[in-house]
Amino acid sequence: QVQLVESGGGLVQPGGSLRLSCAASGSISSMYAMGWYRQAPGKQRELVARITSLGSTNYADSVKGRFTISRDNAKNTVYLQMNSLKPEDTAVYYCKLVGSYSLEYWGQGTQVTVSS
């Protein structure tokens, strides 16, 4: 009963920036944890960044210092600001929400391609 819609992906040159958005709708509690994951072809899906209902954040070492996760609870939206992008950041980026009873909800993904 929860839908997540990602947006903001696209093609960007190395060193460039993108901001991803994930808007949640449906039966959502006022406090929930959300995160961004990514998956490149032939690779496992990996955690990029997460943010708790209270605003605590955690980042993968590979993106620390370059990416910033944030949330706007009034808009039920989580963002991922990606700076200094590298070709190895190329992947499909997915938004995840953890709701009641530890149920996981996933967005459809948005493609990020970093190439010159």
Side-chain angles (χ1 to χ4, degrees), residues 9 21 30-31 37 39 43 49-51 61 63 86 97 109:
S21 299
S30 59
M31 304 185 91
Y37 293 72
Q39 187 167 27
K43 296 185 178 180
R50 69 199 316 168
I51 185 166
D61 288 341
V63 307
K86 305 174 181 180
L97 181 151

Side-chain angles (χ1 to χ4, degrees), residues 55-113:
S56 297
T57 59
N58 178 258
Y59 299 92
D61 288 341
S62 60
V63 307
K64 194 171 299 181
R66 299 188 297 120
F67 291 10
T68 302
I69 188 171
S70 61
R71 66 191 297 165
D72 185 338
N73 287 337
K75 298 180 179 180
N76 289 327
T77 300
V78 64
Y79 305 94
L80 185 67
Q81 178 66 47
M82 305 184 294
N83 298 325
S84 302
L85 283 162
K86 305 174 181 180
E88 49 263 45
D89 294 319
T90 296
V92 177
Y93 284 70
Y94 297 91
C95 179
K96 186 181 83 171
L97 181 151
V98 179
S100 301
Y101 306 102
S102 297
L103 291 175
E104 298 182 353
Y105 303 91
W106 293 87
Q108 83 289 346
T110 184
Q111 177 71 48
V112 172
T113 302

